[in-house]
Amino acid sequence: MPVPWFLLSLALGRNPVVVSLERLVGPQDAARCSSGLSCHLWDGDVLCLPGNIVSTPGPVLVPRHLQTELVLRCHQETDCDLCVRVVVHLAVHEQWEEPGEEKQFKGAADLELEEPWNASLQAQVVLSFQAYPVARCVLLEVQVPAALVQPGQSVGSVVFDCFEAALGAEVRIWSYTQPRYQKELNLTQQLPALPWLNVSTDGDNVHLVLAVSEEQHYGLLLYWNQVQGPPKPWWHKNLTGPQTITLNHTDLVPCLCIQVWPLTPDSVRTSICPFKEDPRAHRNLWRAARLRLLSLRTWRLDAPCSLSVEAVLCWQTPGGGPCQPLVPPLPQENVTVNKAHEFPLLKVHPNLCVQVSIWEKLKLQECLWADSLGPLKDDMLLVDIRGPQDNRSLCALEPSGCTPLPSRVSTRAAHFGEQLIQDLQSGLCLQLWNGDLGALWACPMDKYIHKRWALVWLACLLVTAALILLLLCKKDRVKVAARGRAALLLYSADDVGFERLVGALASALSQLSLRVAVDLWSRRELSAQGPLAWFHAQRRQTLQEGGVVVLLFSPGAVALCREWLQGGAAAPGAHGPHDAFAASLSCVLPDFSQGRAPGSYVGACFDRLLHLDAVPDLFRTVPVFSLPSQLLDFLGALQGPSASHPGLLQEWAEQVSQALQPALDSCFQSLGAPELRRGMEPGAGTGLE
């Protein structure tokens, strides 16, 4: 691979020792020996097969030391390659003895060595060379006259010209004989890199300075060098002349590498990874790392670089405090990034979280099911431990540890121990995991919360109510909505990504002064009652309490409306057992066609997923908003007549927008470009205009 001469001069010219590199003319390999030895280089390369170590029949020649020297192999006056010359120093190896036989043959060996050797020695010496992507093996035949044979002494050296290598490459060289009488010699060397690529720092910016001649054309590639999988290109451009590329420090990660090469045929590409030890790069890597829930039982750690981390399941209580590690193990070592992993669970729960740590230091913690299953619950986790000989014990996980049940200690779990055991035996607890070591059960505590300290709670409630009334008087009814207006969310379950987006919106709204109902959080009731009966009950309760029904439009929802308005109701069960939107249209459409919808309904769609003009005209008799761009007006419509102060609404809009954006990006990325364009076209797919 010829390299332009100016590159070699840039790479080597600053070192006065390297300026006078010997120049070899022609592409042929060659070998020569020191005085008194004769040698011959076999034509062509040979197979690199060291074989096993064998015993020596007597004194033999073996390599004792490897030495390298950089030279230039030039095809033309200004067209040279960097080449590695290898010098192999040889010595006479004494007769090899089996372990334990030294004393038995000591006298005979001594007599043999004391006698002069009256024959020449010949050896076949193999040189093995590796410098990615090049690998070669050559064979040298060396002969030593009898006069130079002295056991244990050096007899001279043989020189091989030469192995070509790229600038900045790491080369590895091995030497051994055929047959092999000892462990092969090895040498690793880092060749000089191109000094015309320099990395400098200026405050928050990092500069890549490329100092080349004005007419030089070259390519520049920035890529992520991932151990698990092929390199991932990030930025590539062909450039001319001196350049300074500026990166922000937030772009740095340990695996970010730089590759530069002249735009000539078969040019050598030089790569460096200068940020491996940069503290900022490691901080950025963890900021970019994300735990993602792919389905209810699969997860993935997304990161631009490979990480050697440990992952565990833990239980997070609503009151805060540390997340407590659980028994079911995840693959703790060598967690592969950007690859799906399975959860060893029977059921999932919003209080289950995943912790990722490195060197026992916590780096990430995500409660992955909180968006789809709602906020954390005040459930008690029971641990069923199975010992040897089928011995079993039951304990309840608390911040102070796992409390045995039943127990007389003064803890919350011990106080309700008998009731928890009865709930477990009655099937009221949800089994999360079952394995050889035991099982995990989540038992609801809602019915026990108000049984103890009733007077204290009542006093706290009275004081809280008084404070709320006082604040309402002083702040012009800013908290009038604190009691919470009911909001029923209806949507079409187009796909898992859209369901996750709806779950994120419902969770965010439930953190405000709204009481949110959505079928995602009521799957048990939905299965027991059926979608139509469940919706009728929720709609009646919401409207009786002065609440609002929110219609979340998506391409699937618009298609369902088209079916109803053009051809009647869909076949029962055609949209899944939990699709409340399809079941609700029999009640929703009459409310709109008969003018009862204004004041009780609000419509919404999501930015980039559906255009406002795609919403059928029938539903535009009520306000319809695009989220999150119109969140402020949307929250005002949900509040109704008792809308909060504009400043508070703005703060809420920012909170909801931050909660929606990751789920919206994920849903946006999961859609193909054609489907997305069709959904964004005004009136696309409705057939109602």
Side-chain angles (χ1 to χ4, degrees):
M1 293 181 291
V3 182
W5 169 251
F6 89 98
L7 293 182
L8 288 176
S9 63
L10 281 173
L12 307 173
R14 297 184 183 180
N15 189 337
V17 177
V18 185
V19 169
S20 57
L21 288 182
E22 182 179 344
R23 298 163 62 91
L24 306 178
V25 179
Q28 297 82 13
D29 294 335
R32 65 180 187 276
C33 302
S34 60
S35 177
L37 277 64
S38 61
C39 56
H40 169 70
L41 174 64
W42 279 35
D43 294 335
D45 290 356
V46 298
L47 294 177
C48 303
L49 298 173
N52 297 324
I53 297 177
V54 300
S55 60
T56 62
V60 292
L61 281 179
V62 294
R64 277 293 172 86
H65 178 62
L66 289 177
Q67 185 178 351
T68 61
E69 179 183 354
L70 295 180
V71 296
L72 297 176
R73 171 172 283 171
C74 298
H75 308 277
Q76 298 177 6
E77 181 66 23
T78 60
D79 188 6
C80 299
D81 286 327
L82 189 63
C83 214
V84 180
R85 169 182 289 166
V86 182
V87 182
V88 185
H89 296 272
L90 302 171
V92 178
H93 183 57
E94 297 181 9
Q95 185 172 359
W96 181 81
E97 296 176 350
E98 290 285 352
E101 296 181 355
E102 181 179 356
K103 292 184 178 180
Q104 181 178 354
F105 298 101
K106 180 174 177 60
D110 289 343
L111 290 176
E112 183 179 350
L113 291 177
E114 289 174 359
E115 296 178 1
W117 187 260
N118 56 5
S120 63
L121 293 181
Q122 185 173 345
Q124 291 185 339
V125 180
V126 178
L127 284 178
S128 175
F129 177 86
Q130 289 187 6
Y132 181 82
V134 178
R136 295 186 58 195
C137 277
V138 297
L139 181 63
L140 304 168
E141 284 190 351
V142 184
Q143 188 169 0
V144 180
L148 296 180
V149 176
Q150 295 293 329
Q153 300 297 318
S154 176
V155 296
S157 61
V158 59
V159 180
F160 171 76
D161 287 330
C162 58
F163 294 114
E164 294 184 14
L167 291 166
E170 181 183 76
V171 300
R172 297 181 178 182
I173 304 171
W174 292 267
S175 180
Y176 51 89
T177 58
Q178 286 186 344
R180 188 160 63 98
Y181 301 115
Q182 64 179 17
K183 185 178 180 181
E184 58 268 37
L185 296 180
N186 65 83
L187 175 67
T188 301
Q189 182 178 2
Q190 185 74 44
L191 300 187
L194 295 177
W196 50 289
L197 173 60
N198 182 45
V199 181
S200 62
T201 303
D202 177 19
D204 289 341
N205 294 325
V206 176
H207 303 295
L208 309 181
V209 181
L210 298 111
V212 301
S213 60
E214 294 287 345
E215 67 279 3
Q216 176 62 29
H217 304 283
Y218 56 93
L220 177 66
L221 172 67
L222 301 180
Y223 65 96
W224 291 319
N225 187 28
Q226 297 176 324
V227 175
Q228 299 148 340
K232 184 177 181 181
W234 179 45
W235 187 85
H236 167 253
K237 195 170 186 180
N238 293 334
L239 303 170
T240 301
Q243 299 284 343
T244 299
I245 310 298
T246 301
L247 304 176
N248 192 280
H249 73 97
T250 57
D251 297 325
L252 305 184
V253 290
C255 63
L256 179 61
C257 298
I258 307 162
Q259 190 176 85
V260 187
W261 66 96
L263 296 178
T264 56
D266 299 326
S267 60
V268 177
R269 296 195 175 202
T270 301
S271 296
I272 60 172
C273 302
F275 309 112
K276 290 182 179 179
E277 307 299 330
D278 193 318
R280 297 174 302 175
H282 285 274
R283 288 195 295 269
N284 292 338
L285 175 59
W286 282 109
R287 291 193 185 104
R290 292 290 184 272
L291 286 168
R292 296 192 182 275
L293 186 67
L294 303 181
S295 67
L296 286 180
R297 293 183 180 84
T298 56
W299 65 285
R300 184 178 68 202
L301 174 61
D302 291 343
C305 304
S306 299
L307 291 167
S308 179
V309 298
E310 296 181 355
V312 296
L313 279 174
C314 62
W315 180 263
Q316 181 68 63
T317 57
C323 196
Q324 297 172 284
L326 300 179
V327 176
L330 295 178
Q332 292 193 352
E333 296 181 358
N334 300 324
V335 174
T336 304
V337 300
N338 307 322
K339 179 182 177 182
H341 300 277
E342 294 287 337
F343 284 113
L345 298 171
L346 299 176
K347 299 289 183 179
V348 294
H349 193 280
N351 293 27
L352 286 173
C353 306
V354 178
Q355 286 183 338
V356 173
S357 59
I358 179 170
W359 299 320
E360 299 183 354
K361 184 177 181 181
L362 180 63
K363 289 293 186 178
L364 284 177
Q365 177 178 314
E366 293 286 345
C367 298
L368 299 175
W369 294 277
D371 287 341
S372 58
L373 301 182
L376 300 179
K377 296 182 179 180
D378 189 21
D379 290 358
M380 185 67 68
L381 188 72
L382 302 187
V383 182
D384 184 5
I385 304 173
R386 298 168 187 167
Q389 300 179 353
D390 203 24
N391 292 329
R392 304 181 65 177
S393 60
L394 187 68
C395 65
L397 194 64
E398 296 187 284
S400 58
C402 206
T403 304
L405 297 181
S407 176
R408 296 183 178 275
V409 297
S410 300
T411 65
R412 182 177 181 227
H415 180 77
F416 297 109
E418 295 294 340
Q419 293 94 321
L420 289 172
I421 294 175
Q422 185 176 358
D423 289 347
L424 179 62
Q425 295 172 346
S426 303
L428 300 180
C429 300
L430 178 67
Q431 187 177 34
L432 305 180
W433 173 74
N434 187 26
D436 296 335
L437 301 178
L440 297 177
W441 305 81
C443 299
M445 295 290 291
D446 298 341
K447 58 184 177 181
Y448 303 122
I449 290 177
H450 299 292
K451 288 187 176 181
R452 195 178 186 190
W453 313 111
L455 294 177
V456 176
W457 280 110
L458 181 58
C460 291
L461 290 175
L462 291 175
V463 172
T464 303
L467 290 175
I468 291 175
L469 290 175
L470 181 61
L471 290 174
L472 287 174
C473 294
K474 288 188 175 182
K475 299 202 174 184
D476 196 23
R477 296 184 177 181
V478 173
K479 301 288 186 178
V480 166
R483 63 180 300 272
R485 191 185 187 194
L488 172 61
L489 304 187
L490 294 179
Y491 69 100
S492 174
D494 290 9
D495 51 47
V496 175
F498 191 75
E499 279 192 319
R500 189 178 299 119
L501 179 58
V502 173
L505 176 63
S507 296
L509 294 178
S510 67
Q511 302 298 320
L512 310 180
S513 61
L514 292 169
R515 290 179 288 113
V516 179
V518 63
D519 62 354
L520 276 173
W521 299 348
S522 306
R523 289 289 167 86
R524 184 178 299 176
E525 294 87 347
L526 205 65
S527 298
Q529 302 175 16
L532 187 60
W534 179 86
F535 168 74
H536 275 299
Q538 295 293 330
R539 171 181 167 275
R540 182 173 60 254
Q541 181 180 351
T542 300
L543 297 182
Q544 285 178 351
E545 295 176 359
V548 61
V549 178
V550 181
L551 301 179
L552 296 177
F553 288 99
S554 64
V558 172
L560 284 173
C561 294
R562 180 185 60 191
E563 292 180 20
W564 275 87
L565 292 177
Q566 291 184 348
H575 302 285
H578 302 308
D579 198 333
F581 187 89
S584 67
L585 288 178
S586 61
C587 295
V588 171
L589 290 176
D591 285 347
F592 279 85
S593 61
Q594 297 173 17
R596 298 194 302 266
S600 300
Y601 286 79
V602 169
C605 60
F606 292 101
D607 296 347
R608 300 185 293 173
L609 298 182
L610 188 74
H611 198 278
L612 278 176
D613 293 340
V615 177
D617 292 337
L618 178 64
F619 297 96
R620 296 185 196 172
T621 56
V622 301
V624 181
F625 306 96
S626 184
L627 307 181
S629 59
Q630 297 178 343
L631 259 175
L632 189 62
D633 296 333
F634 175 69
L635 293 179
L638 294 187
Q639 292 288 319
S642 59
S644 299
H645 190 274
L648 185 59
L649 281 179
Q650 181 65 40
E651 179 181 347
W652 287 352
E654 293 175 358
Q655 294 177 7
V656 176
S657 178
Q658 291 177 2
L660 277 181
Q661 202 59 51
L664 184 61
D665 292 341
S666 176
C667 187
F668 177 72
Q669 293 171 3
S670 67
L671 292 176
E675 288 82 2
L676 189 60
R677 285 195 296 268
R678 287 196 295 269
M680 285 302 297
E681 292 173 359
T686 64
L688 303 176
E689 282 68 42

